Amino acid sequence: MTAADLELALAERRPSVAARPSIVEAAAEISAGTPRVPLGRAWDIASSFAARIRKACPLVEEIAVAGETRRYSQLVKGLAVVARAPDPEAVLATIERMSELPGISVRTPRRIILTTNGHEIDLRVAPPDEFGTVLFTATGPALHVATVLGRRGTRLSATEPDVYEHGGLRYLPPELRDRPDALTLAAGQGELPLVSRSDILGDLHVHTNYSDGRDTLETMIGAAAALGYEYVAITDHSEHAAASRTITVDALSRQKDEIDALRGRFPDLTILQGIEVDILADGSLDCPDAVLSRLDIVLASLHEQHGHDRGRLTERCLQAIRHPLVSIITHPANQLVGHRAGYDMDYDRIYAEAAANGTILEIDGAPNHLDLDGDRAQAAVLAGVTVSIDSDCHKASALARQMALGVGTARRGGVTAVQVANTRPLAALRQLLARKRRPSC
């Protein structure tokens, strides 16, 4: 398809149902040469662009990130944003005059595709009575869009729930639209009770400058308090972790004294002292049990393969899962987005043992991890595992962002609030952690 063909397709004010899926495909085609962007970076680019548009265009009533970013795909190819305004042409004319937004490659009465900061962004502007259909179409994926729109005739919708309702379906959140069973889910009854950011009562994986974090303990705790959390766990890296800085046993004692001093300054936030302890080559933990038993929470991580095959890696993980002092296995696959799919392990055994031992498995919101990913998170909770959703944050300014990425990743797995440890009030969380320790401590 040439640029002229695309321009013609996009210029239609009210395209037919059959034409709408081709519009989605055309948008993907124009971005075909663009490298994939990690989800965290995609959110930053698209949300920053959306904020600039909203500030520059008073006519914009609402603006939303769309495309793969809104579906929380780990790697995003095309960045898309959809705005609602009573006069789309006036909004786009304003954007054309913005000197900081050069590189417009496509311009129609409702749409601009432009390049900013080296990234191509597809901006669509819809009048209020069509906003739902345009947002749905721009969010994709193309096959889901074609299937849903094929059930509902030519009617346009003001909201996304209306799009589904007019097709005889229930609303399907964007994070679930990539799933093979997406239409089956949409054909079900009632709401889908996915976990949401408002369900999260605390963060159980936070780093400070006691190890490789950028900010002080006080700064991180202050940021957690500002988010309205009921509790936060400080979990710096153990001594032999492959991190730029780690925490020693002596430093843990100093950290405890500092936490005790800060508790009076943050009376509405419970500060838990923990550690992220490495699972060593022989499956043992990088910290004596006598030290771990004094902490409120213990996270264990596989950070090094040590040349081990599937069987040995699995056994190392299982040893930690069975350890009575280990509360959570963090980023269980040790996935690196865009670089490594995760360790080759027997995840079915890992899920079964975690469920049997009451060990929590983490959905990590750090943009380089996003692990457990959506598919693994779904398999874990179906096996009866309780998961946590954490930021794994190393700087205060990213606490909210990384938690949002973790929640979006969990939603791709269909995770509900009752399956998440840190949606529980503090007393219930303490009971959950204590049940794991009680048999042998």
Side-chain angles (χ1 to χ4, degrees):
M1 175 178 284
T2 67
D5 293 331
L6 178 62
E7 175 73 14
L8 182 62
L10 301 183
E12 293 294 332
R13 185 171 182 83
R14 291 178 179 266
S16 68
V17 171
R20 288 184 199 123
S22 68
I23 290 175
V24 179
E25 291 160 5
E29 185 171 324
I30 200 165
S31 301
T34 305
R36 290 192 179 273
V37 181
L39 176 62
R41 177 69 176 146
W43 264 112
D44 289 347
I45 297 166
S47 59
S48 174
F49 174 79
R52 288 158 67 193
I53 297 305
R54 185 156 207 167
K55 182 177 180 181
C57 305
L59 283 175
V60 170
E61 300 171 341
E62 181 179 351
I63 190 162
V65 174
E68 291 175 304
T69 310
R70 187 168 177 242
R71 304 196 317 261
Y72 282 84
S73 301
Q74 292 192 344
L75 291 170
V76 174
K77 192 152 198 176
L79 301 178
V81 174
V82 177
R84 184 184 72 204
D87 188 347
E89 174 63 32
V91 170
L92 293 180
T94 300
I95 292 169
E96 282 185 299
R97 293 193 294 270
M98 294 172 66
S99 59
E100 71 272 24
L101 294 176
I104 295 174
S105 58
V106 171
R107 167 70 156 91
T108 79
R110 300 288 190 87
R111 189 173 187 176
I112 279 180
I113 296 176
L114 54 81
T115 300
T116 179
N117 296 324
H119 294 276
E120 190 174 76
I121 296 183
D122 177 356
L123 171 66
R124 312 182 195 193
V125 185
D129 61 342
E130 299 178 18
F131 177 71
T133 300
V134 175
L135 178 59
F136 172 71
T137 301
T139 297
L143 179 59
H144 183 68
V145 169
T147 303
V148 173
L149 294 185
R151 295 169 59 99
R152 61 188 299 277
T154 59
R155 184 173 180 180
L156 294 165
S157 302
T159 70
E160 276 195 315
D162 286 346
V163 172
Y164 283 93
E165 182 180 347
H166 297 156
L169 302 167
R170 65 176 170 180
Y171 175 72
L172 193 66
E175 299 90 342
L176 298 178
R177 295 176 196 173
D178 282 306
R179 287 172 51 151
D181 61 347
L183 191 64
T184 302
L185 288 172
Q189 300 296 316
E191 291 187 13
L192 289 162
L194 299 185
V195 64
S196 68
R197 171 60 187 84
S198 62
D199 293 319
I200 302 296
L201 299 183
D203 195 333
L204 300 178
H205 189 174
V206 170
H207 296 274
T208 73
N209 64 357
Y210 270 94
S211 65
D212 61 342
R214 186 188 72 180
D215 293 320
T216 65
L217 181 63
E218 180 179 358
T219 299
M220 294 301 284
I221 289 171
L227 291 174
Y229 284 147
E230 186 176 340
Y231 46 83
V232 65
I234 304 301
T235 55
D236 283 302
H237 285 288
S238 64
E239 194 165 358
H240 293 97
S244 58
R245 296 188 308 277
T246 60
I247 192 166
T248 64
V249 171
D250 288 343
L252 275 171
S253 296
R254 296 197 304 274
Q255 186 186 65
K256 182 181 186 306
D257 292 340
E258 188 177 350
I259 287 173
D260 288 343
L262 287 168
R263 283 180 171 134
R265 292 188 51 198
F266 298 95
D268 296 327
L269 177 70
T270 295
I271 308 165
L272 305 175
Q273 187 187 23
I275 193 169
E276 183 181 359
V277 61
D278 264 40
I279 303 169
L280 301 178
D282 63 356
S284 64
L285 302 180
D286 183 27
C287 201
D289 284 2
V291 174
L292 298 179
S293 64
R294 297 198 296 266
L295 299 173
D296 299 303
I297 189 168
V298 174
L299 282 52
S301 302
L302 278 172
H303 281 127
E304 297 287 343
Q305 275 188 282
H306 295 292
H308 290 160
D309 61 13
R310 172 185 173 89
R312 186 69 195 105
L313 278 171
T314 300
E315 287 302 325
R316 283 171 60 196
C317 188
L318 293 178
Q319 276 185 252
I321 285 171
R322 294 169 185 143
H323 195 293
L325 295 174
V326 171
S327 313
I328 301 174
I329 302 294
T330 58
H331 47 75
N334 202 24
Q335 170 180 265
L336 293 177
V337 172
H339 299 283
R340 182 174 67 213
Y343 292 154
D344 179 17
M345 296 191 290
D346 186 342
Y347 289 97
D348 288 340
R349 285 186 67 197
I350 288 169
Y351 303 148
E353 288 285 341
N357 285 273
T359 305
I360 299 162
L361 299 183
E362 181 186 62
I363 299 170
D364 188 308
N368 61 318
H369 279 308
L370 304 180
D371 169 19
L372 300 165
D373 62 21
D375 289 342
R376 287 177 176 141
Q378 180 185 14
V381 296
L382 288 176
V385 174
T386 297
V387 298
S388 64
I389 305 173
D390 302 313
S391 71
D392 188 5
C393 207
H394 290 66
K395 56 183 180 181
S397 60
L399 271 174
R401 169 183 179 260
Q402 291 185 200
M403 181 60 77
L405 293 175
V407 170
T409 300
R411 288 169 64 90
R412 279 180 70 88
V415 175
T416 66
V418 297
Q419 295 164 326
V420 180
N422 49 321
T423 62
R424 306 179 188 208
L426 177 64
L429 175 69
R430 287 193 186 278
Q431 289 175 355
L432 179 66
L433 299 178
R435 279 200 298 271
K436 173 71 189 293
R437 292 187 170 200
R438 192 171 295 126
S440 56
C441 297

